């Protein structure tokens, strides 16, 4: 007998238990029952269970006062075969925003798992780009969650979403040190890029959370680290988007310079307190990743001139950073070392 056709045992009991929790979210969870059902789930037997279980789970999660880890685990398993738009027909934008805003990391991961689905197609990414409140809540939680796993998932999802949505991607993809940075695929619509980098409120939100985080200096450092890690990938996808801003007044506010420079300049030159040793190391890692990837992106005079200016300003009073950049070719794979050395010499104008 095909194991996928064997009925999932315990579903009726679980449905009854979920009804009880909908009526009274303060009841104790029957963790064994949840585990018993979840362990039996497969791609083949999940679909008929989705309409039975997922709406009830969503309802409970809106008002469940305890750690919702067990509820979220089952919900994530049930969502596996669904695409982004299918999930939106079952769980409202409001419910997803509540999960993003939850203090429980399991709820954040659940909501981010849904957003991750939008990175599967340019059309779904474009739909997400229209959800201003959702994007805002995602950015806040990505830069405000103290848990490493939430920050890492947020960074990956943001990169994947902007990757699928990118309308300027290098047509043949990009690989550095044997690792694929930009996958070869058709261009997207660019709507999510415009939502994040051309929407004044969201752009301001990112800069403010990395400059004066309401949760304090420790969370501010985490936010800065997360932005630094995602920017080299974004710069490979759309260099102009991260080096140009329509908001000269926000640059005045956060960098004390009135110009149209973008978020790359902010992160590279103004954001980090170099007296903070850990953040200085993060900044060095950022420059090493940025230059390694930019060596293989399509040539443009604008790119070279911009990188020259950023590196010149960043290394002017920072010999440790300059030494790290100069010795970077020694720490890369041998077959790429010579070209990287030439590229760095060009950027640094060194002989």
């Amino acid at each position: 007998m095909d194991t996928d056709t064997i009925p999932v045992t315990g579903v009726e009991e679980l449905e009854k238990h979920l009804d009880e929790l909908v009526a009274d979210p303060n009841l104790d969870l029957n963790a064994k029952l949840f585990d018993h059902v979840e362990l039996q789930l497969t791609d083949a037997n999940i679909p008929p269970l989705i309409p039975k279980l997922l709406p009830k789970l969503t309802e409970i999660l809106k008002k469940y006062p305890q750690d919702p880890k067990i509820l979220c685990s089952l919900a994530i398993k049930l969502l596996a075969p669904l695409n982004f738009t299918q999930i939106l027909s079952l769980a409202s934008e409001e419910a997803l925003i509540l999960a993003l805003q939850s203090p429980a990391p399991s709820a954040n991961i659940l909501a981010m798992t849904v957003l991750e689905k939008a990175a599967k197609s340019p059309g779904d990414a474009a739909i997400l780009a229209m959800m201003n409140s959702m994007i805002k809540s995602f950015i806040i939680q990505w830069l405000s969650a103290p848990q490493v796993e939430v920050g890492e998932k947020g960074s990956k999802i943001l990169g994947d979403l902007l990757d699928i949505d990118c309308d300027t991607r290098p047509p043949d993809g990009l690989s550095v040190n044997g690792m694929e940075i930009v996958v070869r695929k058709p261009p997207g619509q660019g709507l999510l890029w415009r939502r994040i980098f051309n929407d004044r409120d969201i752009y301001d939100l990112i800069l403010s959370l990395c400059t004066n985080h309401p949760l304090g200096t420790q969370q501010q450092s985490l936010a800065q680290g997360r932005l630094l890690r995602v920017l080299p990938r974004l710069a490979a996808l759309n260099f102009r988007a991260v080096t140009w801003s329509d908001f000269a007044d926000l640059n005045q506010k956060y960098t004390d310079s009135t110009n149209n420079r973008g978020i790359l300049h902010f992160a590279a030159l103004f954001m980090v307190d170099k007296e903070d040793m850990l953040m200085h190391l993060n900044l060095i890692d950022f420059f090493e990743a940025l230059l390694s990837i930019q060596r293989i992106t399509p040539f443009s005079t604008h790119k070279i001139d911009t990188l020259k200016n950023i590196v010149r300003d960043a290394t002017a009073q920072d010999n440790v950073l300059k030494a790290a950049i100069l010795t970077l070719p020694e720490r890369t794979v041998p077959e790429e070392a010579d070209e990287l050395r030439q590229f760095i010499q060009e950027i640094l104008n060194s002989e």
Side-chain angles (χ1 to χ4, degrees), residues 115-126 128-129 138 154-175 179-194 196-197 230-239 241-242 293:
L115 299 193
E116 193 171 25
K117 302 272 187 176
K120 301 299 182 192
S121 84
D124 285 348
L128 177 60
F138 168 72
S155 297
K156 182 181 184 304
I157 289 168
L158 181 62
D160 289 349
L161 285 167
L162 289 171
D163 190 335
I164 195 78
D165 181 61
C166 188
D167 56 3
T168 62
R169 63 171 49 259
D172 297 323
L174 293 172
S175 294
M179 187 171 75
E180 205 166 37
I181 304 296
V182 177
V183 182
R184 183 174 184 167
K185 57 169 98 92
Q189 299 178 38
L191 295 175
L192 205 51
W193 284 87
R194 290 194 280 282
I196 290 172
F197 296 105
V230 81
L231 272 178
R233 182 182 179 188
L234 302 189
L237 287 163
N238 189 336
F239 192 74
V242 297
I293 296 170

Side-chain angles (χ1 to χ4, degrees), residues 17 45-46 56 84 126 130 134 142 187 226 256 290 347:
H17 185 38
N45 65 28
I46 284 174
K56 293 176 183 179
F84 183 61
M130 298 298 102
M134 183 104 84
W142 169 51
R226 289 166 189 174
D256 290 332
L290 179 69
I347 296 301

Side-chain angles (χ1 to χ4, degrees), residues 306-322:
T306 302
L307 291 174
K308 280 182 176 180
N309 289 334
I310 289 176
V311 171
R312 181 198 64 220
D313 291 353
T315 57
Q317 306 291 326
D318 191 342
N319 291 327
V320 177
L321 174 61
K322 189 167 187 175

Side-chain angles (χ1 to χ4, degrees), residues 31 90 112 128 170 187 233 237 251 285 290 314 331 333:
L90 295 164
M112 288 183 178
L128 177 60
R233 182 182 179 188
L237 287 163
N251 283 341
D285 286 345
L290 179 69
R331 300 190 300 283
V333 293

Side-chain angles (χ1 to χ4, degrees), residues 280-333:
H280 191 219
L281 288 173
N282 277 338
L283 186 68
I284 290 170
D285 286 345
F286 157 78
F287 270 101
E288 291 183 350
L290 179 69
L291 294 174
S292 295
I293 296 170
Q294 287 301 319
R295 177 188 70 78
I296 59 164
T297 57
F299 172 83
S300 79
T301 306
H302 166 68
K303 178 182 89 169
I304 297 299
D305 290 347
T306 302
L307 291 174
K308 280 182 176 180
N309 289 334
I310 289 176
V311 171
R312 181 198 64 220
D313 291 353
T315 57
Q317 306 291 326
D318 191 342
N319 291 327
V320 177
L321 174 61
K322 189 167 187 175
I325 291 172
L326 282 168
T327 57
L328 177 58
E330 298 165 19
R331 300 190 300 283
T332 195
V333 293

Side-chain angles (χ1 to χ4, degrees), residues 64-344:
Y64 188 67
Q66 308 298 322
D67 183 347
K69 189 173 183 179
I70 292 168
L71 296 164
C72 292
S73 178
L74 179 60
I76 287 172
K77 196 80 178 273
L78 290 168
L79 293 174
L82 300 179
N83 64 34
F84 183 61
T85 48
Q86 287 171 326
I87 294 170
L88 289 181
S89 70
L90 295 164
S92 67
E93 185 179 351
E94 177 205 16
L96 292 169
I97 289 171
L98 281 173
L100 280 171
Q101 294 173 342
S102 169
S106 56
N108 304 155
I109 296 290
L110 169 61
M112 288 183 178
T113 301
V114 174
L115 299 193
E116 193 171 25
K117 302 272 187 176
K120 301 299 182 192
S121 84
D124 285 348
I127 291 168
L128 177 60
M130 298 298 102
M131 299 178 172
N132 191 31
S133 297
M134 183 104 84
I135 300 294
K136 202 168 184 177
S137 297
F138 168 72
I139 294 291
I140 290 171
Q141 202 58 15
W142 169 51
L143 295 176
S144 300
Q147 299 86 4
V148 171
E149 67 271 24
V150 177
E152 286 183 350
K153 190 165 187 73
S155 297
K156 182 181 184 304
I157 289 168
L158 181 62
D160 289 349
L161 285 167
L162 289 171
D163 190 335
I164 195 78
D165 181 61
C166 188
D167 56 3
T168 62
R169 63 171 49 259
D172 297 323
L174 293 172
S175 294
V176 176
N177 289 351
M179 187 171 75
E180 205 166 37
I181 304 296
V182 177
V183 182
R184 183 174 184 167
K185 57 169 98 92
Q189 299 178 38
L191 295 175
L192 205 51
W193 284 87
R194 290 194 280 282
R195 170 66 67 201
I196 290 172
F197 296 105
N198 299 108
D199 181 306
R200 182 188 179 81
D201 289 345
I202 288 178
Y203 192 70
D204 189 10
L205 180 66
I206 295 171
L207 299 189
S208 68
L209 290 174
C210 291
T211 304
N212 186 22
H213 204 292
L215 296 181
T217 54
Q218 185 176 352
Q219 191 59 50
Q220 182 175 304
S221 294
L222 286 175
Q224 290 176 356
R226 289 166 189 174
L227 182 63
L228 287 172
R229 277 189 289 279
V230 81
L231 272 178
R233 182 182 179 188
L234 302 189
L237 287 163
N238 189 336
F239 192 74
R240 189 184 186 282
V242 297
T243 55
W244 173 268
S245 164
D246 292 324
F247 310 117
D249 60 318
L250 293 183
N251 283 341
Q252 174 75 48
K253 180 178 175 182
Y254 293 108
T255 69
D256 290 332
S257 51
T258 309
N259 52 45
N260 290 106
R261 290 176 166 186
I263 199 166
L264 195 71
H265 295 82
F266 162 75
L269 301 174
F270 300 98
M271 181 177 77
V272 173
D273 175 9
K274 293 184 179 181
E275 298 298 310
D276 181 330
M277 192 179 297
L278 184 59
M279 285 313 303
H280 191 219
L281 288 173
N282 277 338
L283 186 68
I284 290 170
D285 286 345
F286 157 78
F287 270 101
E288 291 183 350
L290 179 69
L291 294 174
S292 295
I293 296 170
Q294 287 301 319
R295 177 188 70 78
I296 59 164
T297 57
F299 172 83
S300 79
T301 306
H302 166 68
K303 178 182 89 169
I304 297 299
D305 290 347
T306 302
L307 291 174
K308 280 182 176 180
N309 289 334
I310 289 176
V311 171
R312 181 198 64 220
D313 291 353
T315 57
Q317 306 291 326
D318 191 342
N319 291 327
V320 177
L321 174 61
K322 189 167 187 175
I325 291 172
L326 282 168
T327 57
L328 177 58
E330 298 165 19
R331 300 190 300 283
T332 195
V333 293
E335 55 267 29
E336 296 184 10
D338 285 345
E339 288 184 21
L340 182 59
R341 188 174 292 107
Q342 290 170 14
F343 181 72
I344 285 171

